[in-house]
Amino acid sequence: MIELKSADEIAKMAVTGQFVGELLAELGRLAAVGVNLMDIEHQARHRITERGAKSCYWDYAPSFGRGPFRNVLCLSVNDAVLHGLPHDYVLRDGDLLSIDMAVEIDGWAADSALSVIVGTPDPADRKLIEATEVALEAGIAAAQPGGRLGDISAAIGEVAHSYGYRVNGDFGGHGIGRTMHESPHVANDGRAGRGMRLQPGLTIAIEPWFCRTTAKIRYDKDGWTIRSADGSRTAHSEHTVAVTAGGPQVLTRRPAPSAPPAEPASDRTSASH
Ligand code: MG
Ligand code: MG
């Protein structure tokens, strides 16, 4: 069952989406050589609590995970691509970090992810991240009222193939609204003109993720983290999007990179000045 949202409900989701976008941008700027993944996780916990938001990840216990999840972020490094379990790891020069986050505010969820390079970029990693970002924008552009769900999948898949990447069909985007994961499944490859009709009020998370040299995945011993099967690097980009009569509306758009750095959490600053 797919619940179409009213303009009022989409406006509420946009409030959550704005917070998610701002916090993800802030967390992306935190990712630097020498920073521990748990520092990023703790900063996110602090900001979510401070905002009165609720993490959709905390206590999440899906069939595939070794639940319940007790973190507010998925932090996936290098060959890890989805559901990366935050842990004691200090970021190194050249690491590729994907940050994924979903929260609720006033009962409405938003979900978004980005990939960043820590320190010195490998051009091949840059290209991989770019492909997920271009695919995400192509998927968003295809989320037009009157179109079909397959238009979004086809648009994403076409970008992946044009960059020379294969697409995994096990995980993709999803409906979102009162909860993080709702129908329909939004595959990252497919055929245009197929699938359900896209109607105003449909709210979905579109989330292309690719591995450099494989479409296969493996599960880490930690029971959560999903990695590329061949150890190649991976990237992931995601936005929460509403289909409206006027076209797609991105609810988790991030502020421009020129935004000033966020102040550190008060519990991590010293009193000296
Ligand atoms: Mg997500
Ligand atoms: Mg998602």
Side-chain angles (χ1 to χ4, degrees):
M1 156 98 188
I2 291 162
E3 183 194 8
L4 297 176
K5 282 78 174 179
S6 67
D8 257 14
E9 291 168 337
I10 290 172
K12 286 178 183 162
M13 288 180 69
V15 170
T16 314
Q18 184 183 350
F19 172 70
V20 167
E22 287 171 1
L23 182 50
L24 256 192
E26 178 187 327
L27 298 174
R29 289 192 297 268
L30 270 184
V33 176
V35 171
N36 195 302
L37 291 183
M38 292 312 296
D39 291 341
I40 301 174
E41 165 68 21
H42 285 127
Q43 174 69 0
R45 288 184 198 175
H46 170 82
R47 295 276 282 105
I48 288 169
T49 305
E50 180 186 63
R51 179 61 177 80
K54 180 172 170 281
S55 167
C56 301
Y57 291 176
W58 197 270
D59 279 346
Y60 186 54
S63 55
F64 55 81
R66 192 182 295 161
F69 200 74
R70 285 289 159 84
N71 296 278
V72 302
L73 299 176
C74 289
L75 296 172
S76 305
V77 180
N78 296 338
D79 62 320
V81 63
L82 297 174
H83 310 152
L85 187 69
H87 61 287
D88 178 19
Y89 174 80
V90 176
L91 288 166
R92 297 175 194 162
D93 190 45
D95 277 347
L96 195 169
L97 173 67
S98 297
I99 308 174
D100 194 353
M101 178 177 66
V103 306
E104 286 174 28
I105 295 174
D106 292 333
W108 293 98
D111 185 5
S112 187
L114 87 168
S115 290
V116 295
I117 295 169
V118 177
T120 318
D122 177 337
D125 288 344
R126 262 205 183 127
K127 180 183 152 201
L128 184 64
I129 294 174
E130 177 189 286
T132 64
E133 291 173 347
V134 171
L136 175 56
E137 293 304 325
I140 291 166
Q144 298 291 343
R148 299 275 187 178
L149 192 61
D151 299 351
I152 299 172
S153 303
I156 294 169
E158 198 172 304
V159 172
H161 303 311
S162 75
Y163 274 83
Y165 304 126
R166 281 173 282 171
V167 175
N168 173 285
D170 296 347
F171 292 92
H174 48 89
I176 179 167
R178 295 178 198 273
T179 60
M180 166 173 63
H181 288 148
E182 300 182 351
S183 290
H185 173 69
V186 184
N188 284 331
D189 204 358
R191 291 171 64 184
R194 305 293 284 268
M196 65 170 277
R197 182 77 67 189
L198 301 175
Q199 296 183 65
L202 179 71
T203 47
I204 50 176
I206 301 177
E207 50 179 312
W209 60 273
F210 311 135
C211 311
R212 255 201 219 169
T213 51
T214 183
K216 295 199 175 118
I217 53 174
R218 68 181 179 85
Y219 290 78
D220 193 281
K221 286 192 296 289
D222 68 21
W224 282 101
T225 308
I226 294 176
R227 300 179 183 277
S228 64
D230 63 0
S232 63
R233 290 204 167 182
T234 65
H236 180 202
S237 295
E238 175 178 25
H239 276 307
T240 295
V241 178
V243 177
T244 76
Q249 182 186 350
V250 180
L251 304 180
T252 47
R253 198 61 91 185
R254 289 185 285 277
S258 56
E263 289 179 18
S266 55
D267 60 351
R268 297 168 66 223
T269 52
S270 77
S272 60
H273 53 88

